[in-house]
Amino acid sequence: MNKVFFSCTALLLAAQAATAGGILTNTNQSAAFLRNPARDGAIGIDGTYSNPAGVAFLGKGIHLSFNNQSAFQTRTIRSGINVNMPEGLGLTEAQWQAMPFSQPFKMFGGDASGVKEFKGEASAPIIPSIQAAINYDKWGFQASFALVGGGGKATFNRGLGSFERQISMLPAILNIVNQKTPELNLGTGIDQAAYSVESYIHGQQYIFGLQLGTTYKFNEHVAVYGGFRFNYVYNKYEGSITNISANINGTNENLHEYLGTVAAGLTQKAGVATQTAAQLRIQAAAAEAEGNTALAQQLAAGAAQYEAGAQKATQGAAQMEGMRKQVADRYLDCTQTGWAIAPIVGVNVKLDKLNIGFRHEFTTHFNIQNNTKRDDTGLFTDGVNTPGDMPGITTLGLQYEVLPTLRVMAGYHYFWDKNARMDKDKQTRLSGNTMEFNLGAEYDITDAIQISAGAQRTKYGLGDGSFLSDMSFVTSSYSVGFGVGLKLSQRMKLDVGYFWTMYETFDKEYTESYSAGDMAVQAKNTDSFTRTNKVFGVGLSLDL
């Protein structure tokens, strides 16, 4: 099979567990965000990320915040494949559709419609972040450290549909080869047609961000911010596809071993036939020398038959060895690293009961380098650099004090996805950039107890879905967050928040070509993508 079974190119996103934000960006950097995601116009120490210019209004002194979040996510893909009938089989379309080969996932875990579910689990129990600021009369200085992208691990214990689709066609391929060369005895039998494979994928992705910046407060109404974030990316991918098997004449056979045995038998057969042909040629020459022309011709004809048989057996052995290479066990062990710096600017305008925050973070231009220990896919060559930018983001936030004890907030995020370089210019397949809309409110029950809640709508420009694959996908979503803030003392506050995301389902249909030897087929593939995401966080803030 010409198409490599184990294709992991888009695993770059497989480990993004703590998702709240754009395609690659984590915007949930604090427990305060979890209990109300509309923080872009709020004034707080968590603003070192969401509204850095607003931090200038916290007052003189040192401000610190320590946070941890625990994120748990699942990714579910329901994949199907409907194979068009190959040419030259002499079957009607109805006959082909009645065979298991037309919807091959039925042979290994698929449902009655030929659709199979692949589920990945991602967890990140520890996602830390630290924010710090020191304010003087007009100048202020800030620092923060967080996982600004990724932040977890994802494991698919049953692989993915994109890996399994061509493997699922092995019973049909073996049957077709057996029809053309029945002496190979490769028939899987229509009633017993089956295949199996052991597939495993594990990925993790961390983008660490160290942000440094300065604020300047012109007066009690306007402050500005300028800074940068140093980003370091660390990805690790491990995977395997092993024990590719099919039912051969009623027995589940490991194809790499079975085809090797067949190839060895054919090679041995070719050797015996070649030796026999050589002996017959010698005998024919002797008969010709003795003047027995009829016997010489008979022996020469026999030699020609053995030579033809040897050639056919040699060709069969080569064919089996070719197929055998394609069903060999495959492994991947690759680590990727890279770093980049992104400038950040911000403005905060404070007008009586209204506060307005603005922030723009420029695109982070990553070149991510492979450190490959093993790659049977040929896709992760050691030392190769791949573009993997983190898109820039522009945010605008508002906070309005309805009552001394009640504040309402709104925020808008715009991610510049189509300006971010991705592997193979994948960003060009997007129909537009990501947008987010946030609403929230915070109420002071007492001087020491606050409650808050908010909602976030994330809308991706996915277009026709060609940007998505089962190895890398996002879907538009609605999120809600709520929680409580407890003032433990005049200088200490505890934030506790919970954030839950409800993802939409995105359905994708596309046609793909597959080939095996001299056979080429078209298949209609379907993928249905969705996810779940739950995050719990705790943060402790100090004013010194």
Side-chain angles (χ1 to χ4, degrees), residues 142-283:
Q142 299 176 19
S144 67
F145 178 81
L147 290 171
V148 294
K153 304 176 182 180
T155 301
F156 288 83
N157 288 310
R158 295 175 58 194
L160 290 167
S162 57
F163 300 168
E164 194 172 314
R165 281 192 174 100
Q166 187 152 344
I167 296 174
S168 73
M169 291 191 290
L170 283 170
I173 292 168
L174 294 172
N175 267 280
I176 293 171
V177 171
N178 193 63
Q179 288 180 25
K180 296 181 178 180
T181 52
E183 65 275 9
L184 297 180
N185 196 28
L186 295 177
T188 62
I190 294 175
D191 295 334
Q192 298 177 324
Y195 74 93
S196 63
V197 60
E198 295 175 9
S199 183
Y200 169 81
I201 303 166
H202 175 79
Q204 61 188 56
Q205 181 189 68
Y206 299 99
I207 303 178
F208 301 95
L210 174 62
Q211 183 174 324
L212 302 173
T214 301
T215 58
Y216 183 79
K217 186 167 65 174
F218 290 97
N219 49 48
E220 294 305 312
H221 300 289
V222 180
V224 295
Y225 170 88
F228 66 90
R229 183 184 299 118
F230 174 84
N231 298 284
Y232 179 80
V233 59
Y234 176 86
N235 304 328
K236 184 171 179 60
Y237 309 115
E238 298 173 295
S240 62
I241 289 184
T242 60
N243 195 24
I244 298 175
S245 305
N247 188 309
I248 304 291
N249 299 314
T251 303
N252 191 51
E253 301 280 2
N254 179 294
L255 289 179
H256 187 259
E257 298 175 359
Y258 184 83
L259 295 174
T261 301
V262 174
L266 290 171
T267 299
Q268 182 180 19
K269 182 178 180 180
V272 172
T274 299
Q275 292 177 355
T276 302
Q279 293 173 354
L280 290 175
R281 291 292 183 188
I282 294 172
Q283 294 173 9

Side-chain angles (χ1 to χ4, degrees), residues 9 12 235 334-338 366-372 375 378-388 423-424:
T9 305
L12 295 175
N235 304 328
C334 176
T335 300
Q336 297 178 322
T337 58
F366 278 117
N367 279 310
I368 304 171
Q369 181 170 307
N370 294 339
N371 178 10
T372 305
D375 176 25
L379 299 173
F380 289 83
T381 303
D382 187 44
V384 169
N385 284 276
T386 303
D423 188 33
K424 297 180 176 61

Side-chain angles (χ1 to χ4, degrees), residues 317-435:
Q319 184 181 18
M320 294 300 99
E321 283 295 338
M323 294 182 65
R324 183 171 181 259
K325 291 178 181 178
Q326 297 300 329
V327 295
D329 292 347
R330 298 177 185 272
Y331 297 89
L332 173 67
D333 185 353
C334 176
T335 300
Q336 297 178 322
T337 58
W339 65 271
I341 295 175
I344 304 170
V345 295
V347 179
N348 190 92
V349 179
K350 191 175 183 182
L351 302 171
D352 193 21
K353 296 181 179 182
L354 176 66
N355 194 74
I356 304 171
F358 168 84
R359 175 174 65 99
H360 178 74
E361 180 178 324
F362 292 81
T363 298
T364 306
H365 295 292
F366 278 117
N367 279 310
I368 304 171
Q369 181 170 307
N370 294 339
N371 178 10
T372 305
K373 295 181 179 179
R374 181 168 182 178
D375 176 25
D376 296 333
T377 73
L379 299 173
F380 289 83
T381 303
D382 187 44
V384 169
N385 284 276
T386 303
D389 294 350
M390 190 159 64
I393 176 175
T394 301
T395 70
L396 178 66
L398 305 174
Q399 176 176 287
Y400 184 75
E401 185 179 288
V402 180
L403 298 170
T405 57
L406 176 63
R407 294 162 294 281
V408 294
M409 301 91 161
Y412 173 74
H413 301 164
Y414 189 85
F415 297 86
W416 300 86
D417 302 315
K418 291 182 69 66
N419 293 342
R421 302 169 308 150
M422 299 182 186
D423 188 33
K424 297 180 176 61
D425 287 327
K426 186 180 174 183
Q427 73 279 2
T428 60
R429 304 176 197 171
L430 292 167
S431 61
N433 292 320
T434 302
M435 292 186 289

Side-chain angles (χ1 to χ4, degrees), residues 52-92:
V55 176
F57 293 97
L58 283 179
K60 294 174 64 175
I62 297 174
H63 309 277
L64 300 171
S65 181
F66 305 91
N67 297 267
N68 183 67
Q69 299 175 60
S70 299
F72 305 93
Q73 186 182 96
T74 62
R75 304 177 184 207
T76 303
I77 311 104
R78 289 181 52 80
S79 297
I81 175 173
N82 196 322
V83 181
N84 295 342
M85 182 175 62
E87 296 180 358
L89 293 186
L91 301 174
T92 65

